[in-house]
Amino acid sequence: MAQLNIVLFEPEIPANTGNIGRTCVATNTRLHLIEPLGFMLTEKAIKRAGMDYWADLDVTRYVNFQDFLEKNPKAKIYYATTKAKHVYSEVQYEPDCYLMFGKESAGIPEEILMEHPDECVRIPMQGDTRSLNLSNSVAIMLYEALRQNQFLGMNLEGELHHHKWEDIC
């Protein structure tokens, strides 16, 4: 079965990466980390944010962007950036595409974006807002890609358990 991919370019904040890792486990999405990282993967903040899900995460590390490209030569990549002309929801995401996000302080380097202007996508924001939190941005775009691909084998129904109010109190 096809599997979506999240790519983090030089992430700096361990809690964001931990949260994203947890989201990847919950959605059967691969996580790709392009170094240098702004933290050690053994940090408590990663474990705290990712909770006990981190052990189940399909994660690959790369020494740099070139290493990532060489090891994923057929990757269809969409680049999340506030500089894009296309809104993320206007794109048709392939079931095995890669959604790439830049580091918290600077985003994806402009030289990379300039090479792929048609694959750059943005999340609309009000006014002069610089950007959304990285883990929120990943969740927004990932769930749009999942929705477009009929949620790729995910649980689509839950079940309420009927309890009397007196039993709960």
Side-chain angles (χ1 to χ4, degrees), residues 20-142:
I20 292 164
R22 182 176 180 170
T23 299
C24 287
V25 170
T27 58
N28 191 35
T29 301
R30 290 186 194 108
L31 180 60
H32 304 263
L33 300 175
I34 298 174
E35 297 180 355
L37 307 181
F39 50 85
M40 302 294 292
L41 284 177
T42 57
E43 285 189 31
K44 285 183 190 176
I46 285 246
K47 303 242 191 283
R48 188 177 313 118
M51 300 187 62
D52 54 347
Y53 298 97
W54 196 258
D56 298 324
L57 180 61
D58 181 354
V59 61
T60 305
R61 292 171 66 175
Y62 306 89
V63 296
N64 55 35
F65 185 59
Q66 191 59 41
D67 183 36
F68 168 77
L69 291 176
E70 288 170 5
K71 291 179 178 164
N72 299 282
K74 297 182 182 191
K76 173 64 175 177
I77 306 169
Y78 295 95
Y79 303 85
T81 174
T82 58
K83 300 170 177 118
K85 294 186 189 311
H86 305 290
V87 173
Y88 78 98
S89 57
E90 298 171 344
V91 173
Q92 181 58 50
Y93 298 100
E94 299 82 358
D96 58 351
C97 69
Y98 292 69
L99 307 176
M100 184 171 159
F101 299 82
K103 61 178 152 184
E104 291 90 340
S105 66
I108 298 169
E110 216 160 293
E111 54 270 16
I112 294 173
L113 299 175
M114 297 284 282
E115 293 177 15
H116 309 279
D118 292 334
E119 288 79 30
C120 291
V121 294
R122 67 177 288 117
I123 298 170
M125 292 177 287
Q126 189 71 29
D128 294 332
T129 306
R130 213 172 47 249
S131 66
L132 295 174
N133 173 274
L134 179 61
S135 60
N136 292 339
S137 296
V138 168
I140 289 167
M141 285 184 53
L142 175 59

